[in-house]
Amino acid sequence: MLGDRAVGADRGPLDDAVEQLAEACDLLGYDEGTFQMLAAPRREVTVSIPLRRDDGSIEVLTGHRVQHNLSRGPAKGGLRYSPHVDLDEVRALAMWMTWKCALMELPYGGAKGGVTIDPSRYSRAELERVTRRYTAEILPVIGPTRDIPAPDIGTDEHTMAWMMDTYSVANGHTVLGTVTGKPVSLGGSLGRAAATSQGVVHVAVAALRHQGIDPGGATAAVQGFGKVGRGAARFLAAGGVSVLAASDEHGAVWSPDGLDVPALEDHVDRVGTVVGFPGATVIDNEALLTLDVDLLVPAAVECVLHGGNAAAVQARLVVEGANGPTTTEADRILQARGVLIVPDILANAGGVVVSYFEWVQANQAYWWTEAEVEERLAVRMTTAWDQVQTESRERGLPLRAAATCLAVRRVAEAHQQRGLYP
Ligand code: GLU
C-alpha cells in the first residue's frame, strides 16, 4: 500500500488518517507523488504561549495550527484545548477537516489548532489571556481568506469572540468572518450551536432506515455528553429513538426503558455530570460501548473503538459524532462483523457546514433565519449521505472508504487544475 508507516504499539490518530488516505489513493489509482502531496500538511505553526496566571506566576504553554490543505479555498477547522493535544493529533484532525470540507462541497481546505492545556484548571480570565496570545502568535496565517478557526473540544463561543476581537484589534477594524461559532450577538449564525448534533441525527436516521430499522422503535447509546453528544441525545430522543445510555468523563448511566433526555440535561446542568441521574443505573464507560443497542454514537475523542473492544460492540450501526473515534483495526473488525459505520467526515460535518453558512452571512453582513439555516443544513447532510451511498454501492466500498474517495478525488482534482507552482 502507498505510504506504508511503521506499525507499532504507539499508533495514534495520524496513523489512522494517513492509512485512510493511502487506501483512498490506492482505490483511485493515484501514484506515490500524489499521495505524498495530499498527505503533507501545507503549513504548520507551533507557538509558545507565555501565560501570566492569576497568582502572578508565569507558565509557558504550547499551541499549534496546522493547515493541511489550501487547494479548494481558505483552510477551515476547529481549535482544541485539551491536555492530550500534540502536533500529530492536530495534523490528523486537520487532514480530516480537508476531506470533510471537500465531501460537503464547502469551498475550503482543512486546518486544526490545538493548545495543550486542561481548561478546567484555569480561570476564565486566564483562558482569555491564553486565547488572545495564541491568536496573536498565529495572526499572520489566519483570517477570513486564509484560515477560519471554530470551536472544538475545550473551546466555545467565548473563545471565538476573543479570537475575533484580537484579530480585529490588530487589523484596526471589526472582521466578523475571522472565526465561526461566535455568539449570535456578535455575528454568529442561528443554528450553529446545535448544528453538529443535528447533522449527526440527520445521517443516523437515514442510516437506520437504510438498515431497515424504524427510528421510532430504535435504541441508542451516546458516548460523550458535551457539545456533540448532548445535542445528539436530545435530537435522537425527540425523533423517537430510545436513548438507553449516555456517558461523560465521570461515568455512564443506563436505563433499559430509555433515559428521559430533557431531565438528564437538567441534571447535568445542575450537577455537572450524567452520574447520579435518578432512576438510571451507573455503568462502566467501557460497558456503554458494548451495549446491545441499534445505534452507537461515539461523540467524544479519538480511538475509543479499538482492537481491544471492537469485537464486543453489539450495535448494528456506529455513527461517528467525534472525529476519529474508530481505529483502523476496529474499523476492520466492525466491518467484518457487518456493523455499518457512518464515518466522522460525513456524520459530524453539520458543524462545519453551518460554520460555512456563518462565514457566508458574516461576509455578506446579511443574516438568515434559524429555519433557513436548518433547512439548508438538512439538504447538505442528505445530499452528502446520498452521494456517499452511491459511491459505496458503485465501488463496493464501506462508507468510510467511499466518503474518503469522494473527498480525496475532489481535492486531487483541484490540485491538478491549479497545477504545480513553479
Ligand atoms: N470542530 C468542528 C469539527 O471538527 C467544527 C469545525 C469548523 O466549524 O470549522 O468539524
Side-chain angles (χ1 to χ4, degrees):
M1 194 191 262
L2 292 169
D4 267 346
R5 287 167 62 91
V7 178
D10 56 349
R11 280 179 57 96
L14 185 59
D15 299 281
D16 294 328
V18 171
E19 247 184 76
Q20 289 158 11
L21 170 63
E23 186 195 12
C25 287
D26 269 340
L27 288 162
L28 293 164
Y30 293 166
D31 59 18
E32 175 71 23
T34 305
F35 163 74
Q36 291 295 348
M37 209 159 59
L38 293 168
R42 295 271 70 82
R43 189 181 284 144
E44 301 182 339
V45 182
T46 294
V47 297
S48 287
I49 307 164
L51 163 70
R52 188 180 304 282
R53 303 275 329 236
D54 291 340
D55 66 7
S57 64
I58 295 202
E59 194 177 309
V60 181
L61 304 163
T62 303
H64 311 282
R65 185 77 187 169
V66 173
Q67 296 171 348
H68 169 257
N69 195 282
L70 308 163
S71 297
R72 303 180 67 260
K76 185 84 191 82
L79 168 63
R80 179 172 293 197
Y81 285 179
S82 150
H84 308 295
V85 161
D86 66 28
L87 185 54
D88 273 354
E89 183 194 41
V90 180
R91 286 175 172 145
L93 293 163
M95 187 187 291
W96 284 324
M97 283 310 302
T98 300
W99 314 142
K100 200 185 295 186
C101 292
L103 182 65
M104 303 313 289
E105 301 188 273
L106 309 179
Y108 292 137
K112 201 80 176 194
V115 177
T116 313
I117 182 174
D118 177 355
S120 68
R121 293 185 42 248
Y122 293 79
S123 71
R124 187 181 155 95
E126 289 171 333
L127 292 173
E128 176 171 352
R129 291 198 285 279
V130 169
T131 302
R132 288 188 182 277
R133 183 61 187 253
Y134 169 76
T135 307
E137 294 291 345
I138 64 165
L139 209 69
V141 298
I142 61 167
T145 58
R146 294 170 191 268
D147 178 358
I148 306 120
D152 195 81
I153 292 172
T155 57
D156 58 18
E157 58 175 26
H158 304 296
T159 324
M160 294 305 115
W162 296 324
M163 288 192 92
M164 194 282 282
D165 183 68
T166 306
Y167 183 90
S168 297
V169 169
N171 280 276
H173 61 109
T174 297
V175 190
L176 292 179
T178 312
V179 294
T180 58
K182 298 180 294 296
V184 171
S185 57
L186 201 61
S189 178
L190 294 169
R192 174 63 184 86
T196 312
S197 311
Q198 272 188 339
V200 165
V201 175
H202 284 310
V203 292
V205 167
L208 283 166
R209 293 211 172 103
H210 176 264
Q211 294 292 80
I213 303 169
D214 171 18
T219 56
V222 179
Q223 184 246 354
F225 212 70
K227 288 194 281 277
V228 181
R230 178 178 171 147
R234 185 189 321 136
F235 296 126
L236 283 170
V241 175
S242 183
V243 179
L244 301 190
S247 68
D248 59 29
E249 56 192 331
H250 305 288
V253 289
W254 169 77
S255 164
D257 306 321
L259 300 166
D260 177 345
V261 176
L264 179 61
E265 288 200 72
D266 285 346
H267 172 82
V268 170
D269 286 340
R270 266 183 291 112
V271 181
T273 168
V274 297
V275 177
F277 180 55
T281 309
V282 173
I283 58 169
D284 231 44
N285 277 19
E286 242 336 90
L288 177 137
L289 299 170
T290 56
L291 282 176
D292 183 9
V293 286
D294 295 310
L295 168 66
L296 174 63
V297 181
V301 291
E302 301 93 59
C303 304
V304 292
L305 297 174
H306 47 74
N309 62 9
V313 169
Q314 297 187 69
R316 263 66 78 198
L317 183 63
V318 175
V319 176
E320 296 184 335
N323 291 312
T326 312
T327 66
T328 306
E329 195 186 353
D331 219 16
R332 291 197 186 110
I333 295 169
L334 292 169
Q335 265 171 47
R337 297 184 45 237
V339 179
L340 186 72
I341 305 167
V342 185
D344 45 9
I345 59 170
L346 170 61
N348 71 33
V352 74
V353 167
V354 178
S355 273
Y356 165 60
F357 295 163
E358 179 175 332
W359 178 76
V360 168
Q361 293 170 79
N363 291 344
Q364 297 182 343
Y366 181 82
W367 275 267
W368 311 347
T369 64
E370 189 156 4
E372 279 172 319
V373 170
E374 284 179 3
E375 193 189 314
R376 290 177 199 207
L377 170 64
V379 171
R380 291 266 177 174
M381 294 307 299
T382 40
T383 303
W385 165 260
D386 289 344
Q387 289 178 353
V388 172
Q389 277 300 314
T390 306
E391 182 84 4
S392 159
R393 217 179 24 247
E394 285 176 357
R395 287 174 169 270
L397 293 174
L399 297 183
R400 187 187 314 281
T404 310
C405 277
L406 259 176
V408 168
R409 196 164 59 220
R410 287 176 186 159
V411 177
E413 273 171 19
H415 264 297
Q416 276 152 13
Q417 278 157 356
R418 289 178 66 149
L420 261 193
Y421 173 83

